[in-house]
Amino acid sequence: MNPLLEIQFRVPFDKIEAAHVEPAIDQLLTDANARLEATIASERPLHALDTMTEKLDYAMGVVRHLESVATTPDLRAAHNAIEPKVSAFYSSLPLNEGLWKAIQRYAATDEAKALTGTMKRYLTKTIDSFKRHGAELDAAGKARLQQIDVALAEATTKFSENVLDSTNSFDLVIEDEAALRGLPPAAIAAARASAESKGRSGWRFTLQAPSYLAVMTYLEDRDVREQLYRTFSTRATAAGPGGAAHDNAPLVVKILGLRKEKAQLLGFRDFSDFVLDDRMAHTGARAQGFLEDLRHKTEPRFHEENQELESFAGMKLDPWDIGYWAEKQRAKLYDFDEEALRPYFPLDHVVNGMFDIFGRVLGIRVTEESGVPAWDSQVKTYAVHDRASAAYLGSFYADWFPRENKRGGAWMDSLITGNPVVAKPHLGLICGNLTPPVDGKPALLTHREVETIFHEFGHLLHHLLSRVEVRSLAGTSVAWDFVELPSQIMENWCWEREPLDLFARHWETGASIPDDLFQKMWRAKTFRGANTQMRQIGFGYMDLALHREWDGSGDVIAWSRAVLQQFSPAPFPPEHAMLASFTHLFSSPVGYGAGYYSYKWAEVLDADAFTRFKKEGVFSASTGSEYRDKILARGDSEDPAVLYRSFMGRDPDPNALLIRAGLVR
Ligand SMILES: [Zn+2]
């Protein structure tokens, strides 16, 4: 039997092959079409709608996941073959006149009018969604909209492939040990292991994050830093690694054009207004105004920081100097070397400590499971239970280390959305590209990597602790400018003494972080805080500017470079093309497109919400229980502004963010 055809809580990852993909998806599409007809004929189409595509969602979730973590040429080909038809099917649903009429018919019934709570919200959102998807367009408009969605799916898939292929098509092998001066031992060992894995002598560096960032932060050899920076910032361009075969510039133009056409077809001014219509920010102008405000509050300190760095370095700095000199300046000012923390963050302690902390705070118990099939031998599986009732809430996979067949970054995903009404558990996953173990030592992480784990675990808990009975409104299916609250708030626990003492233990001695090191870590936290903030504001601003202001003519790479330059500490080289590898914006039809601002938006929420834990106790089970019940458990069953107020008793206060970034004292 084809293992993708039935929803299996124990996903048979050991049995799924590329050859299963096309026949399974074809059959599930047929099945979904039959269910669609049944839904249209149903007396209660809203209820049927919520589970109509569950099998197809599951199979596609598994296939997309495998394409992200264990890709092969066959799997990629199968994925690319089905993606357009699946995308066409999904985008045809809110255009289906029969379904639209059935929902309208139902909306007019006494039952629908009497709906309350989550079901009422589901009905309203469903009707809005039909309208936003063109339910009120004429036949020609509907046909064009469907073409646009299919074209967007293809172009954005190709965009991410180009980034992955271009990134992988470059490496730099250094043969002379003296040329490694400045690099910490962990980075040298990783580079040696990387060369060895290719059967080569010397030390191998790549454009993958751990390797690239180590070079940019520590390597004394300025020419190598420059070479790597220039190569990294031209990924997926004609002049970049891999060459014209992976050029994303034409795809960016195509994607932006299609998005604008779609928004205007649906009666919106531009893509940002279309996307933000059902988010907390509501319009592109409001989001851009939010960033403008933060920019003005950040700019004075930003300029000061940059002047301080140049006087420290005693030279005019290029972009490939910034990270290097900033690290030197930090070490000098704070006598603090980030690498000194690594021995305190062995992956296993960090992960188990994290489970322990949020076990206490949120009233859950996380335990490792064995014998569960996965896509790679490095993957671990865990079960989550409620502490008080012992109820089984769900399971998740954890896949921490980089591989060549895995995409970069860190993320969580859901595979199965449970239902509290029938005690159906959730299934999710968490993936990263963390520093792997070398030289027989455990994997020793940077503090930033620790934050990343906590962050993704927050997303995962939003999914696993959901108590929403409507699948479409459960877990992380919330407005994009709200979805980062549950993840970003977790990072705060990586900065408090008591939780750190639980999990940050020296891998050899078991000692906790010495107090002076802890103090330095705190002082260094706000070091160049305005630059960190400005960088995020810049990405968000460039994103909104592209989707609101770019007129579609001329060189989009040059245009976006000029916008981003205003937020950057040093002048970019003329070939700089960060946009071409900006997967957040272009690797899916919507993704973070016109939504990058939401990181900052959510930071305002998380900095502010954490002030309650700070005041009432970072291990406070009563505050944690309220947070779990009022935010994590609620998904999108209520307006996020209402959920936020129910936890905090008031609207968010942006000041907490400015204080945390060290911009207000
Ligand atoms: Zn996130």
Side-chain angles (χ1 to χ4, degrees), residues 413-475:
D413 210 343
S414 62
L415 290 171
I416 294 174
T417 299
N419 187 339
V421 176
V422 292
K424 177 185 168 188
H426 302 287
L427 183 65
L429 57 93
I430 182 167
C431 291
N433 279 272
L434 306 171
T435 310
V438 283
D439 286 350
K441 295 181 191 172
L444 299 175
L445 308 180
T446 64
H447 189 243
R448 181 62 221 150
E449 288 177 317
V450 174
E451 282 185 302
T452 300
I453 295 178
F454 276 59
H455 177 107
E456 297 306 332
F457 191 56
H459 283 309
L460 189 69
L461 289 178
H462 201 187
H463 174 64
L464 294 170
L465 303 185
S466 172
R467 303 285 299 161
V468 180
E469 72 273 23
V470 175
R471 203 171 69 95
S472 323
L473 302 183

Side-chain angles (χ1 to χ4, degrees), residues 410-412 455-456 459 483-485 487-488 491 592 599:
W411 69 95
M412 76 64 67
H455 177 107
E456 297 306 332
H459 283 309
V483 77
E484 296 297 328
L485 165 62
S487 52
Q488 288 177 183
E491 297 176 21
Y592 269 88
Y599 278 114

Side-chain angles (χ1 to χ4, degrees), residues 210-221:
S211 179
Y212 174 73
L213 292 178
V215 169
M216 298 312 294
T217 312
Y218 297 106
L219 191 73
E220 279 185 29
D221 190 326

Side-chain angles (χ1 to χ4, degrees), residues 44-90:
R44 308 175 82 205
L46 190 64
H47 301 72
L49 183 63
D50 189 40
T51 50
M52 193 175 83
T53 60
E54 198 172 4
K55 283 187 177 183
L56 183 63
D57 299 345
Y58 163 82
M60 281 306 295
V62 170
V63 171
R64 286 200 185 103
H65 172 61
L66 286 174
E67 164 62 7
S68 297
V69 294
T71 188
T72 62
D74 285 350
L75 185 64
R76 184 183 281 186
H79 175 258
N80 289 355
I82 52 151
E83 181 67 41
K85 19 183 185 181
V86 172
S87 167
F89 171 75
Y90 282 115

Side-chain angles (χ1 to χ4, degrees), residues 275-276 279 480 543-544 547 585 591-599:
V275 167
L276 271 55
R279 297 190 183 174
W480 274 69
D543 170 29
L544 286 166
H547 288 104
L585 303 196
Y592 269 88
Y596 199 90
Y597 77 94
S598 57
Y599 278 114

